[in-house]
Every structure is written in structure tokens, then in C-alpha cells.
Amino acid sequence: MSKLAVGDWKPLRKGALLGFVTVTMPSGLIFHEAPVSSSHGKFWASPPSKPMIDRNGCVIVDDRGKRKYSPIVSFADPTIRERWSDAVIAAVRAAFPEVLAEPPSAPGLDDDPGW
């Protein structure tokens, strides 16, 4: 994957979620508020998604009460998604070294993010 750029880091620690970042692709495509997460010492980025809404306008939740999300953008296969995620994490490390310096160690940060 060609170089991409990141900016507008918005920290939000909740479960495995560390925060959100804007990702600008070499083509000019911009991913706003891409989630960056960590669990068990590993970091990954996901493309943005939106909460699933029922016909009454209410957010849909699973049997554990966690919000369900649907993708806004997806990748043709898991390998491409993983390469994109790795490139985003490398760019976040370079642009915001304090964000991914150490895996989070507070209780509850290794929980399933619920997306």
C-alpha cells in the first residue's frame, strides 16, 4: 500500500477503542473518524461504520446490549483490509507516538469493542 497520512486524532478510551483518526489515502480519498483499537498488545484500525437503526429510528443492540454497526466502506478481501490497518497504525505511530507507545493496561480495555 502506498503512503497514507493521518491527522485529527480524537482520543476516546472505551473497551478496546483508543480513539479515532482521519486517514487520507494517496488517491485523495479521506476516511473520517476511523477507529483505532488495541487488545492483547495488538493494535488495529477499522474503516468507519455507522450504528444500525431500526424503522422506528432507534439504535439496534445485540443480546448483550451493545450497539450494532454496519460498514460505510469495506475492502475486497481480508488481506487488503489488514494491509490498510497496518499502514494506518504505522502512520499513527509516526504522527502521534504517545498514542500507541504502550498497550493500554487498565482493566476492561481488552474487552470486545462491540462493533
Side-chain angles (χ1 to χ4, degrees):
M1 176 169 276
S2 300
K3 273 227 184 227
L4 52 80
V6 294
D8 299 325
W9 174 255
K10 296 177 185 172
L12 178 63
R13 291 199 171 217
K14 184 177 179 183
L17 179 65
L18 300 176
F20 298 92
V21 69
T22 297
V23 180
T24 303
M25 302 299 296
S27 66
L29 176 68
I30 300 172
F31 293 80
H32 295 276
E33 297 191 13
V36 174
S37 302
S38 175
S39 181
H40 305 294
K42 295 182 181 186
F43 297 97
W44 68 92
S46 302
S49 59
K50 63 181 183 174
M52 295 174 74
I53 306 294
D54 67 17
R55 67 181 123 179
N56 296 320
C58 298
V59 174
I60 298 172
V61 296
D62 65 15
D63 58 352
R64 297 175 298 162
K66 296 199 177 234
R67 290 180 180 178
K68 294 179 80 174
Y69 290 84
S70 66
I72 297 171
V73 176
S74 58
F75 296 95
D77 66 59
T79 301
I80 295 170
R81 180 186 171 120
E82 188 174 322
R83 285 179 31 215
W84 179 84
S85 175
D86 292 346
V88 171
I89 294 302
V92 169
R93 275 200 172 98
F96 308 104
E98 69 284 359
V99 172
L100 306 181
E102 294 285 327
S105 58
L109 291 180
D110 284 336
D111 295 341
D112 175 16
W115 322 316

